[in-house]
């Protein structure tokens, strides 16, 4: 007699693996999330005052860009740590890991931004306090800032749990359709397992209808990131020296 597992054993196997996969993605998200939601909730009303806003607004364009590029790079570093602990990510070639981070790290930063966003007054936790769009005025890319804040607002409306955010972030990162992948097939297998994990927790949470809404968010992320790249090209042309010598190396490596 051939000893093959029964259906329930097979689904048990899949589910156990999926549980483990979800658990390690959630753990990785927690350990690299930079701020805990409860922590931020307590600081919710700590806003920049008029003088502080004024100080940001009187920075020159290149000074403010440099400042934001440094903050953004710190956030990206945490995303890189997160990626390294997604089961399967480390098995990809170095080239493919970098290719996924080049296109995905900024998107994950924006997903994570929604955790630090206060929808009641449209502010985000930046530099130790909550900042509205006016704080970023001297970047001279108001359209990008408005679009990023709108996106955060839309994400908050979905009221995702930390686990759902963790799985969604992993899915944003592990995308077999990104350009310049050497081993698309392998990325696809990792992507399927993450997709399966997300489906699994949405099913468990009785929120299967979120899947469709999350895929809609992915499309918005794509457009935000191309807007970011466009702004960066504009900035590098106008301020080549700042972009070349004062931007963090990781920022340049991933985006320039
Ligand atoms: C995202 C979540 C991280 C902490 C964090 C740090 C820097 C923030 C970022 C968050 C959200 C996006 C942000 C960024 C600094 C500048 C950037 C506010 C909150 C805005 C969108 C401006 C982009 C400017 C570039 C074009 C230089 O845990």
């Amino acid at each position: 007699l051939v000893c093959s597992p029964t259906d329930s054993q097979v689904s048990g196997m899949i589910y156990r693996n999926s549980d483990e996969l979800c658990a390690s993605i959630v753990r990785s998200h927690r350990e690299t999330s930079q701020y805990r939601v409860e922590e931020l909730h307590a600081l919710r009303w700590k806003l920049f005052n008029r003088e502080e806003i004024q100080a940001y607004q009187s920075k020159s364009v290149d000074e403010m860009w440099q400042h934001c590029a440094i903050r953004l790079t710190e956030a990206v570093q945490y995303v890189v740590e997160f990626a390294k602990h997604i089961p399967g990510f480390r098995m990809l070639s170095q080239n493919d890991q970098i290719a996924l981070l080049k296109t995905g790290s900024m998107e994950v930063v924006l997903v994570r931004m929604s955790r630090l966003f206060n929808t009641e007054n449209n502010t985000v936790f930046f530099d130790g306090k909550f900042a509205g769009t006016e704080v970023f005025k001297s970047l001279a890319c108001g359209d990008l800032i408005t679009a990023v804040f709108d996106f955060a607002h839309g994400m908050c409306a979905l009221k995702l749990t930390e686990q759902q955010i963790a799985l969604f972030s992993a899915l944003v990162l592990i995308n077999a359709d990104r350009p310049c992948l050497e081993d698309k097939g392998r990325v696809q297998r990792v992507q399927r397992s993450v997709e399966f994990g997300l489906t699994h927790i949405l099913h468990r949470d009785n929120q299967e209808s979120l899947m469709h809404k999350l895929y809609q968010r992915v499309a918005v992320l794509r457009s935000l990131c191309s807007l970011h790249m466009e702004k960066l090209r504009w900035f590098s042309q106008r301020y080549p020296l700042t972009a070349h010598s004062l931007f963090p190396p990781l920022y340049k490596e991933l985006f320039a």
Side-chain angles (χ1 to χ4, degrees):
L1 279 163
V2 191
C3 203
S4 62
T6 64
D7 277 356
S8 78
Q9 275 172 324
V10 169
S11 71
M13 253 153 58
I14 294 169
Y15 268 65
R16 201 184 53 234
N17 286 335
S18 183
D19 274 337
E20 277 160 19
L21 176 93
C22 291
S24 59
I25 291 175
V26 170
R27 191 184 329 114
S28 174
H29 170 74
R30 195 182 337 107
E31 284 167 1
T32 63
S33 66
Q34 207 170 354
Y35 305 98
R36 291 188 306 129
V37 255
E38 312 89 74
E39 215 167 42
L40 281 154
H41 198 76
L43 300 174
R44 211 157 34 121
W45 297 106
K46 200 174 161 193
L47 300 169
F48 285 115
N49 62 34
R50 202 183 292 278
E51 290 79 54
E52 290 167 325
I53 295 173
Q54 190 66 61
Y56 281 112
Q57 292 183 340
S58 54
K59 281 183 192 281
S60 62
V61 176
D62 59 331
E63 236 183 329
M64 189 61 181
W65 264 80
Q66 195 198 341
H67 185 78
C68 286
I70 291 170
R71 287 286 164 271
L72 210 51
T73 305
E74 284 167 5
V76 164
Q77 259 153 353
Y78 284 96
V79 173
V80 172
E81 274 317 297
F82 167 68
K84 285 195 204 158
H85 293 100
I86 297 174
F89 185 83
R90 277 170 189 272
M91 310 301 220
L92 304 173
S93 69
Q94 190 134 13
N95 172 82
D96 288 358
Q97 295 186 13
I98 293 170
L100 293 178
L101 285 167
K102 255 184 192 278
T103 43
S105 59
M106 179 67 180
E107 298 187 0
V108 174
V109 166
L110 295 177
V111 170
R112 287 175 160 213
M113 172 178 170
S114 62
R115 300 172 65 248
L116 313 189
F117 194 76
N118 183 352
T119 46
E120 289 168 67
N121 55 12
N122 269 303
T123 56
V124 67
F125 192 72
F126 164 79
D127 255 1
K129 289 190 184 180
F130 279 84
T133 51
E134 69 279 8
V135 166
F136 302 97
K137 199 174 148 201
S138 45
L139 287 173
C141 47
D143 50 348
L144 172 64
I145 300 300
T146 309
V148 164
F149 272 62
D150 284 350
F151 173 79
H153 210 280
M155 280 300 293
C156 288
L158 300 180
K159 299 210 177 304
L160 302 182
T161 64
E162 281 291 288
Q163 301 190 342
Q164 292 167 347
I165 293 177
L167 269 291
F168 180 56
S169 302
L171 191 62
V172 164
L173 210 53
I174 314 288
N175 181 342
D177 294 327
R178 300 292 194 189
C180 309
L181 291 173
E182 277 168 354
D183 192 344
K184 202 175 147 104
R186 193 179 282 196
V187 178
Q188 208 152 42
R189 283 194 293 280
V190 182
Q191 181 186 331
R192 294 227 175 89
S193 71
V194 176
E195 255 161 2
F196 191 78
L198 182 59
T199 312
H200 176 54
I201 64 161
L202 292 181
H203 176 78
R204 187 202 58 195
D205 298 341
N206 237 316
Q207 289 194 294
E208 274 128 325
S209 62
L210 270 181
M211 195 53 125
H212 173 66
K213 293 181 184 152
L214 289 175
Y215 278 112
Q216 286 175 332
R217 300 279 94 203
V218 170
V220 181
L221 277 173
R222 296 289 123 86
S223 69
L224 287 178
C225 286
S226 50
L227 194 52
H228 169 232
M229 298 306 285
E230 197 183 295
K231 297 294 177 192
L232 178 60
R233 276 191 296 272
W234 164 84
F235 179 83
S236 311
Q237 244 164 38
R238 260 188 90 181
Y239 302 92
L241 236 71
T242 305
H244 180 262
S245 41
L246 299 173
F247 275 9
L250 180 64
Y251 185 84
K252 285 192 287 183
E253 186 182 340
L254 290 179
F255 305 123

